[in-house]
Amino acid sequence: MFNNKIIGHDFQKGILKRAANENLVSHSYLFSGSDGIGKKLVANEFAKLINCKSRGSVDSANLDSAACVCGSCAKIDKGIHPDVIYVQFEGVKSIKVEQIREGVEERLFLKSFEGKFKVVIVDEAERMSNGAQNAFLKTLEEPPPNSVIILITSNPDSLLPTIRSRCQLVRFNTLAEELILEELKSRGDLSSEDAIVCSKLSNGSLGRALMMDSDLIGWRKELIQYLMHLKPDSAMSIIGLAEYMPLTSDPEDMERMTLAFEFISLWLRDLMLIKTDSDKKGITNVDLIESSMQIAEKWDLDNILDKMGALEKTRNDIYNMNANKQLSFENLFIRLAS
Ligand SMILES: [Zn+2]
């Protein structure tokens, strides 16, 4: 049932599959792990597994590689199964008590329509306010029969300890770079060189990797090449690069700026690795390795560490001190050039 579209997480899938097969399904689970690694997909597949109408009649080993087409699984796949409830609070900063009452409790306590289990999947559970969490706690303490609550979070520490202790914890790890690379190659949207860079930039999150397209990966390359050729005594080149940065407060520009910081930081890290690590395996910008090696020859370790410090300071100035972005970047680029 856990079909091929979920990559990795074999251990976690094994635990859940065993629970389903041995009728030991818990009332509540807490799926924790980084964003974009597949927790929601696994929750969805688990909802299918415990409600599947052909499970038991088919060898469960066979179900692993083929998507089930029974009425229940098909409806869950389409998101229209009446007993599988997705609780998402898009655009809401903090989930309030009333939202938990209406969104979860009222629906959870309705008798199930056609499923064996009523399943409630709460994404980004860490956004529940303390009040909402306390309301939720009551449901967790006295869950209706045949109900399964799955809380999903990338930040389990922001949930009350009493919530965490009520749930069976399933911890998801980030995905291996090789798995992500394999998946990117099989999707074929990126050149193989871009796919390697993307898998390295993904931090083990397939969701994050899939948000990067060849334009973004190309932009990263351009940015770093620009940095490599910055002339400390040329105001033109410093100002030119600062102008090249996305500096408005549009969410899109802000996101791009966050990525720019990350790209520059990873490139400086590459330079450190080139200087200190002989096998170069951890290098992110594999498409710039030759030119990075030339730069690394010119800069000593202290110089690179200084530049890293300047980058962190600029990041802090912009995000926490509301500094002027254009000026901050110009100052940063002067530091990076020298
Ligand atoms: Zn099925």
Side-chain angles (χ1 to χ4, degrees):
M1 178 65 62
F2 283 111
N3 61 39
N4 286 333
K5 74 184 176 195
I6 303 171
I7 66 168
H9 311 309
D10 292 340
F11 175 72
Q12 292 77 359
K13 289 186 281 191
I15 292 176
L16 296 168
K17 202 150 68 172
R18 211 167 327 123
N21 288 339
E22 294 171 11
N23 290 320
L24 293 170
V25 175
S26 292
H27 274 300
S28 43
Y29 290 90
L30 177 59
F31 286 10
S32 77
S34 311
D35 286 328
I37 56 176
K39 300 185 296 297
K40 226 185 310 174
L41 284 176
V42 172
N44 200 54
E45 291 302 303
F46 186 51
K48 280 162 68 180
L49 182 63
I50 58 183
N51 277 320
C52 180
K53 293 201 189 308
S54 54
R55 189 161 64 95
S57 60
V58 186
D59 175 16
S60 67
N62 282 334
L63 284 174
D64 278 339
S65 53
C68 178
V69 289
C70 81
S72 172
C73 288
K75 278 187 189 166
I76 295 175
D77 268 340
K78 285 189 200 137
I80 54 169
H81 195 295
D83 295 317
V84 178
I85 302 158
Y86 300 91
V87 183
Q88 265 164 323
F89 296 99
E90 266 170 49
V92 177
K93 258 208 172 135
S94 166
I95 303 169
K96 305 262 167 20
V97 181
E98 310 79 66
Q99 290 170 304
I100 291 298
R101 296 247 154 85
E102 286 163 25
V104 182
E105 286 178 7
E106 286 175 15
R107 296 161 77 186
L108 190 61
F109 283 92
L110 287 175
K111 207 179 159 317
S112 70
F113 293 95
E114 51 187 75
K116 297 175 200 157
F117 287 94
K118 198 152 202 124
V119 184
V120 174
I121 301 172
V122 184
D123 196 17
E124 297 185 277
E126 72 277 2
R127 288 203 284 145
M128 284 192 283
S129 66
N130 273 2
Q133 292 191 41
N134 276 316
F136 209 91
L137 193 57
K138 296 206 181 77
T139 313
L140 288 176
E141 278 164 352
E142 287 166 46
N146 295 326
S147 65
V148 178
I149 296 170
I150 304 174
L151 299 177
I152 298 179
T153 184
S154 57
N155 186 7
D157 291 341
S158 57
L159 292 171
L160 296 175
T162 39
I163 295 246
R164 293 202 303 263
S165 67
R166 289 273 160 197
C167 299
Q168 185 182 336
L169 181 64
V170 184
R171 206 187 294 273
F172 289 75
N173 304 316
T174 51
L175 299 165
E177 227 169 78
E178 297 76 44
L179 275 179
I180 291 181
L181 179 58
E182 217 174 277
E183 178 66 19
L184 291 175
K185 280 185 174 163
S186 79
R187 289 179 185 235
D189 299 326
L190 296 173
S191 71
S192 62
E193 196 178 42
D194 281 358
I196 295 173
V197 175
C198 184
S199 70
K200 291 190 173 280
L201 289 169
S202 70
N203 292 338
S205 158
L206 180 62
R208 184 178 150 92
L210 294 177
M211 282 187 319
M212 289 187 231
D213 56 14
S214 51
D215 284 352
L216 183 66
I217 294 171
W219 186 78
R220 165 210 52 96
K221 188 172 184 177
E222 251 175 56
L223 174 65
I224 295 171
Q225 282 172 328
Y226 211 144
L227 285 172
M228 288 171 166
H229 297 110
L230 263 189
K231 303 219 172 18
D233 49 0
S234 158
M236 282 300 286
S237 90
I238 303 276
I239 293 170
L241 181 50
E243 280 172 352
Y244 174 79
M245 298 295 293
L247 296 177
T248 76
S249 298
D250 293 349
E252 235 173 73
D253 266 13
M254 292 295 282
E255 207 183 310
R256 185 59 73 105
M257 190 177 70
T258 305
L259 282 167
F261 275 118
E262 204 179 331
F263 290 158
I264 300 172
S265 162
L266 285 166
W267 175 61
L268 292 173
R269 185 176 160 272
D270 283 356
L271 297 179
M272 292 282 285
L273 284 175
I274 290 170
K275 288 198 91 71
T276 55
D277 178 6
S278 50
D279 77 354
K280 322 257 182 298
K281 243 176 90 184
I283 286 179
T284 303
N285 300 285
V286 288
D287 52 350
L288 291 165
I289 204 159
E290 296 283 320
S291 37
S292 292
M293 281 168 78
Q294 288 168 13
I295 299 274
E297 251 174 51
K298 288 193 278 181
W299 294 354
D300 63 25
L301 274 179
D302 283 347
N303 185 352
I304 300 173
L305 283 170
D306 273 357
K307 289 173 159 63
M308 285 174 152
L311 183 73
E312 277 321 304
K313 184 179 179 310
T314 309
R315 192 176 349 213
N316 185 53
D317 286 351
I318 289 179
Y319 287 103
N320 300 328
M321 320 287 283
N322 213 12
N324 178 294
K325 291 182 200 136
Q326 172 94 22
L327 280 177
S328 302
F329 272 107
E330 282 173 15
N331 282 328
L332 172 65
F333 294 145
I334 291 171
R335 296 284 297 277
L336 291 181
S338 47

